[in-house]
Amino acid sequence: MESLKNNYSKYFERIKSNWDTIAKPLDSLGKLETLVAKLGAIQGTEHPSCLKKCLVVLCSDNGIVEEGISQSDQSVTRICAENIAAKKTTVGIMAAQVACDVITYDVGINHSAKIPNVIDRKIRCGTRNFLKEPAMTKEEIEVALSLGRVIVSELKNKKYELICVGEMGIGNTTTSAAIAASLLKVDGKITAGRGSGLSNTGLEKKVSVINEAIKKYDLYNKGPLEILQTVGGFDLAVMTGIYLAAKEYSMPVVLDGVISVTAALVAERIEKGTVDYLIPSHISREPVGKLLCDELKLSPILDAHMALGEGTGAVLLLGLLRTAIEVYERSIPFSESNVEQYTRFK
C-alpha cells in the first residue's frame, strides 16, 4: 500500500514539475494543471491519456418514492434508461462530442422485462421503502459493491483509460440526501434539495422523511456501510464499489454531481485515500453539493448550476481534460522559447 502511495506521489510531482518547464507563467492554467497531474498519478505515467473513455450509467429504482418525495413514479426510470441507452438524451449528445462510449446498466430497475441496449445486472427490482425497513439487505450491499469492482475490471480489460459515472433513478436525490445528512451529521434540510422540481410542500415532505429515517435507525451513530444499506440505493452502492476498485485497477473515475459525490464520501469513509483516484467535474446546484466537495477536499472545475444527472457534468469535463493534456504534451518549453524559465519561490 505504501509503495502505491509513493508511486502516485512520484508521478503527480513529476507532472507538476513538467508544467513548470512550459513557456508560460507558473501555475497559470490553475486547476487544469492539477487535473492532468492527478490523471497521470492515477495511471502511473508522466503522459496521461483519456483517448479511450466511457460513461457508466447506473439505473435503479428506490422504494422511498412511495412516500411522495418525487414528482415522477418509478416507470420513468425504465423509460429514461432506455432513452439513455439509445443515446437520445442530453448525456448521449454530449458524449458523442467527445468520443465517449455510453454504457447503461440496469442494477435495480423495478421492471422485469429486458430493456433494449441496457446491460442487465439487476440486483433486485428496486430497493425497499427505507421509512418502513432498510433499503437493502447486507447480502445485497455485498453484491452491489462486488458488481462495482467487476465493472471496473471488465472495462480495464477492454482497455478503457478513464471511466465517467452517471445514474438514473427516481428518488435518488432523497437517498443521497439521507446518506449525506447521516455521514455529515446534519439535519435533512441541509442536504435535501428540490431534485427534479419539488414544490415547497414536497420539499418539506422530503426533509421530514430523511430526518425520520435518521432518528429511526440512529444513523448519526452508524458506519458508512450500514448507512448505505439502510437508506441508500443500488446506484449509489454500485458506484461505491466502482470507486473502491479504482485504486486497485489504477483507473481514474470522473465524478458527476451530488449522487456520485455522495457515493464518493461513502467510499472514502470506508477506505481512506479512495478520493485520490476520483476526479471531480462540477458542483451540483443541489444544496449539499459544495458541502460534500469541501468534506472530500475536492475542487471541481465547472460550476454551471447544473443538476441533470446521467453523467452530464462528468462528460462535460472531458473536453477540457483532453485540451489540457494536449497543452501539457505539445506546448513549447522554456528551453526552446528564448525566454528564461521562471523561478518558483518557496
Side-chain angles (χ1 to χ4, degrees), residues 42-258:
I42 296 169
Q43 294 177 336
T45 177
E46 288 184 61
H47 302 284
S49 175
C50 63
L51 290 175
K52 187 172 174 61
K53 51 203 173 288
C54 67
L55 167 68
V56 168
V57 185
L58 304 166
C59 305
S60 64
D61 276 305
N62 301 279
I64 195 62
V65 298
E66 292 178 4
E67 300 300 325
I69 46 74
S70 175
Q71 275 199 38
S72 306
D73 62 32
Q74 292 187 347
S75 66
V76 173
T77 302
R78 181 198 62 78
I79 294 167
C80 288
E82 185 172 344
N83 287 336
I84 291 168
K87 302 177 179 57
K88 294 179 179 178
T89 68
T90 303
V91 80
I93 296 166
M94 287 181 168
Q97 310 313 304
V98 290
C100 178
D101 297 334
V102 178
I103 307 172
T104 311
Y105 292 86
D106 172 3
V107 298
I109 298 174
N110 190 14
H111 183 74
S112 57
K114 182 172 175 55
I115 305 169
N117 302 311
V118 175
I119 298 173
D120 185 1
R121 300 289 176 84
K122 194 191 303 288
I123 300 165
R124 184 179 185 271
C125 285
T127 55
R128 299 159 187 85
N129 181 345
F130 65 67
L131 210 55
K132 298 177 179 176
E133 58 183 317
M136 292 170 267
T137 65
K138 290 182 179 180
E139 292 75 18
E140 286 164 354
I141 274 287
E142 290 173 3
V143 170
L145 294 175
S146 178
L147 176 55
R149 184 183 181 280
V150 168
I151 288 172
V152 175
S153 175
E154 290 175 348
L155 295 175
K156 184 77 171 182
N157 289 337
K158 291 179 180 179
K159 309 301 181 186
Y160 282 103
E161 299 169 312
L162 177 146
I163 299 171
C164 295
V165 291
E167 40 60 40
M168 176 58 218
I170 299 302
N172 65 6
T173 61
T174 300
T175 58
S176 59
I179 291 172
S182 302
L183 289 173
L184 297 172
K185 295 181 170 57
V186 298
D187 192 277
K189 67 183 177 183
I190 303 296
T191 63
R194 295 183 185 274
S196 57
L198 284 176
S199 65
N200 288 339
T201 301
L203 180 58
E204 290 173 5
K205 176 67 173 177
K206 187 174 184 177
V207 171
S208 174
V209 164
I210 291 167
N211 286 337
E212 188 175 339
I214 290 171
K215 183 178 180 180
K216 177 177 181 177
Y217 301 107
D218 190 26
L219 294 181
Y220 288 155
N221 296 306
K222 296 296 190 294
L225 266 181
E226 191 168 355
I227 291 170
L228 179 62
Q229 176 198 332
T230 304
V231 295
F234 291 129
D235 50 354
L236 281 152
V238 177
M239 274 185 191
T240 301
I242 287 173
Y243 302 157
L244 292 171
K247 180 189 295 186
E248 178 183 354
Y249 289 98
S250 298
M251 178 65 79
V253 179
V254 181
L255 305 176
D256 187 37
V258 70

